[in-house]
Amino acid sequence: MYRFLLTPRWWGINVFVLLAIPFCIFMGSWQLGRFEDRVEAHDAAQAQADRQAAPSRSQAKARPLDSLLPVDQETSGERASAKGRYGKQLLVPDRELDDKSGYYVLTLLHTDSGKDLPVVRGWLPGNASAAKAPSAPSGEVTVTGVLQASESPGSNGVSSAGGLPNGQLGAISAASLVNVVRGDVYDAWVTLEKGDSGMKAVPAAAPANTGLDLKAFQNLGYTGEWFVFAGFVVFMWFRLFRREREFARDAALGLLPEEPAGATEAAGTAATAEPAGTAAATEAAGTAATTEAAQTEAAGAGTAEPAAEAPRGA
């Protein structure tokens, strides 16, 4: 009854099932691991934010900027210090703080290393206005603030709109500043712990890819999909197996449905009609040949009779 499992068709089905199920389980486990990694990163970032918010954080000694680069999940949010002179000032519009819309005042600090460091000196409410933004201090200054990674347009509330007026910036990043300043720019920025010139200080943001964002829940959804695929493969194999087994059992018991009688009779009638038609055609051809021979014989007899009467006349 189960000999059908040895057919080439079922060999192909079995090989496919044996390969598909482990693959689906592996992909589901991998997506689940990605989700768990994001959860752990979120918990670690939250713990780091709590430590930074503690009173002891402000007492921690700021470290030199170059010792904290490049910015990663470990160094993002650490206190950094740099020396230099303030230069070009820019505005970053459409930034919210305390549920109010406003803009950042960003000034480039030309450091002793020759690179420019973007420094967010504070936040002001309303529409971006260069006239309202206070000027940066002159002379050499020492800046102490919280180190942040470069922003990506379209993430964490960062505007991706272009066509901003001259002197405004959409995202705080080296890629956005490369066409604004002539020299090299640090791939990082610093927000002052205390707002400069009466402005509100901009709080530090959590490092990228450390929150339970849409990508994390996409990984969780993909996990469920892969496990559902594995279950569907097993379900379809048992369904095909059951149908094939029932077919083999019915064939062994002679319970397979026969062809309809009408179709068999019609086929037999068509097969019988064909020889009959052939015989009729043959008979008609023979009759025509007999008639033609009789006519030829009669014509020959008519010709011979005048030839025989000719001597009597003479």
Side-chain angles (χ1 to χ4, degrees):
M1 182 181 298
Y2 300 108
R3 295 182 63 87
F4 63 87
L5 293 174
L6 301 177
T7 60
R9 173 173 172 267
W10 271 93
W11 269 105
I13 294 175
N14 292 335
V15 170
F16 172 78
V17 170
L18 292 176
L19 294 177
I21 293 177
F23 177 77
C24 292
I25 294 176
F26 169 77
M27 292 300 298
S29 302
W30 180 76
Q31 291 289 350
L32 181 61
R34 292 286 296 167
F35 173 75
E36 293 176 347
D37 291 342
R38 291 183 182 275
V39 172
E40 292 177 359
H42 170 70
D43 294 340
Q46 188 65 38
Q48 183 179 1
D50 294 340
R51 290 193 303 269
Q52 293 172 355
S56 59
R57 174 188 173 274
S58 59
Q59 300 175 1
K61 184 178 180 180
R63 298 165 58 184
L65 175 65
D66 293 333
S67 66
L68 297 173
L69 298 177
V71 183
D72 54 19
Q73 295 182 3
E74 296 294 331
T75 60
S76 178
E78 294 291 332
R79 299 183 73 226
S81 64
K83 291 182 179 181
R85 295 177 179 270
Y86 280 120
K88 187 177 182 62
Q89 183 162 288
L90 302 168
L91 305 180
V92 186
D94 301 328
R95 296 303 176 101
E96 292 187 358
L97 184 63
D98 298 333
D99 297 329
K100 295 180 180 179
S101 179
Y103 58 97
Y104 293 168
V105 177
L106 182 149
T107 309
L108 296 175
L109 180 71
H110 189 70
T111 63
D112 297 337
S113 64
K115 291 185 177 181
D116 290 333
L117 173 66
V119 178
V120 175
R121 297 170 45 233
W123 174 90
L124 291 175
N127 296 325
S129 173
K132 297 180 181 179
S135 300
S138 59
E140 188 177 26
V141 296
T142 299
V143 172
T144 301
V146 182
L147 185 64
Q148 299 281 269
S150 293
E151 296 179 333
S152 299
S155 63
N156 296 328
V158 179
S159 176
S160 58
L164 294 174
N166 187 26
Q168 295 187 14
L169 193 67
I172 308 174
S173 65
S176 300
L177 289 166
V178 69
N179 296 324
V180 178
V181 296
R182 296 180 179 179
D184 295 333
V185 181
Y186 281 104
D187 190 16
W189 58 284
V190 170
T191 175
L192 296 183
E193 296 176 330
K194 295 181 180 180
D196 191 9
S197 303
M199 296 183 289
K200 285 187 177 181
V202 176
N209 299 323
T210 58
L212 294 179
D213 53 4
L214 180 60
K215 292 182 178 180
F217 291 101
Q218 282 181 345
N219 293 132
L220 187 61
Y222 293 150
T223 299
E225 288 182 0
W226 282 113
F227 287 133
V228 168
F229 290 158
F232 180 74
V233 170
V234 175
F235 167 76
M236 289 302 299
W237 186 90
F238 275 106
R239 185 175 180 181
L240 292 174
F241 173 79
R242 181 180 178 182
R243 187 178 66 178
E244 198 78 16
R245 183 184 63 182
E246 292 177 353
F247 181 83
R249 182 184 59 188
D250 293 345
L253 297 176
L255 301 178
L256 294 179
E258 298 180 357
E259 294 183 0
T264 305
E265 183 178 356
T269 303
T272 306
E274 184 177 357
T278 304
T282 304
E283 183 178 358
T287 303
T290 304
T291 303
E292 183 179 358
Q295 291 177 354
T296 304
E297 183 178 357
T303 305
E305 183 176 355
E309 290 178 355
R312 288 200 300 268

